[in-house]
Amino acid sequence: MNTSHNESIPAAPVQRILAAAMFAAEKHAAQKRKGAAAEPYVNHLIEVAQLIAGSSEQLDANLVMAGFLHDTIEDTGTTAEELEQAFGSDITALVVEMTDDKSLPKEVRKALQIENAPHKSVRGQVIKLADKISNLRSLLASPPANWSLERKRDYFIWAQRVVDGLSAPNPILKAEFDRTFARFKG
Ligand code: ZN
């Protein structure tokens, strides 16, 4: 029987994923991407979640949800307690793992990302790779108006150093990262 036009799958994980998407969309509603096109920030979150969903045959629903939520603590003041209440401890731990300490200077945070990359959990590394792919893609498609070529190059090289530090990179996403990196002409 061909079910491709009306495939029936369990609703619960899809409902949970969409609840995470809605939560993230509301939390980031006022935020734009830094690029000249000033896209809604939620575009980045959807892209990260899509990359995670495409990184394996079997869907890790919590990981896709954490993809949607990965910047909520860092960028929107959402607390870990709030995430725990709404989505449970597994997803909260993943989001906390993705959260930089914004009390530190930016250069220190960037150095720490390189230093900490090898120690991230295997699932955390999937989010990290998806995040870096999305950020490089957006720098290629719509860089911030005031970024020089050198600043873009520095960012690409920094992102590559973070990714090179991952101890267990997902092969599908690593290949996509490499393709994206290669598109930078500078
Ligand atoms: Zn992000």
Side-chain angles (χ1 to χ4, degrees), residues 33 41 44-45 48 67 70-71 75 131-132 134-135:
R33 303 211 75 184
Y41 199 78
H44 166 62
L45 306 172
V48 168
H70 77 277
D71 283 325
D75 289 348
D131 192 33
K132 291 288 177 275
S134 172
N135 288 339

Side-chain angles (χ1 to χ4, degrees), residues 6-27:
N6 186 23
E7 192 183 4
S8 183
I9 60 168
V14 179
Q15 290 166 349
R16 295 176 62 238
I17 289 167
L18 291 174
M22 192 68 226
F23 184 97
E26 287 173 351
K27 289 289 188 181

Side-chain angles (χ1 to χ4, degrees), residues 95-151:
V95 176
V96 167
E97 198 183 345
M98 290 304 116
T99 302
D100 285 351
D101 181 351
K102 276 212 160 167
S103 70
L104 298 171
K106 190 168 187 183
E107 288 313 310
V108 175
R109 296 199 314 257
K110 290 181 85 172
L112 278 173
Q113 282 206 27
I114 296 170
E115 207 172 296
N116 293 334
H119 313 298
K120 296 282 176 207
S121 68
V122 171
R123 290 159 84 222
Q125 294 187 33
V126 173
I127 306 174
K128 187 56 92 179
L129 251 176
D131 192 33
K132 291 288 177 275
I133 293 165
S134 172
N135 288 339
L136 293 196
R137 282 180 178 172
S138 87
L139 263 184
L140 289 166
S142 172
N146 59 347
W147 276 37
S148 65
L149 185 61
E150 189 184 6
R151 185 162 177 192

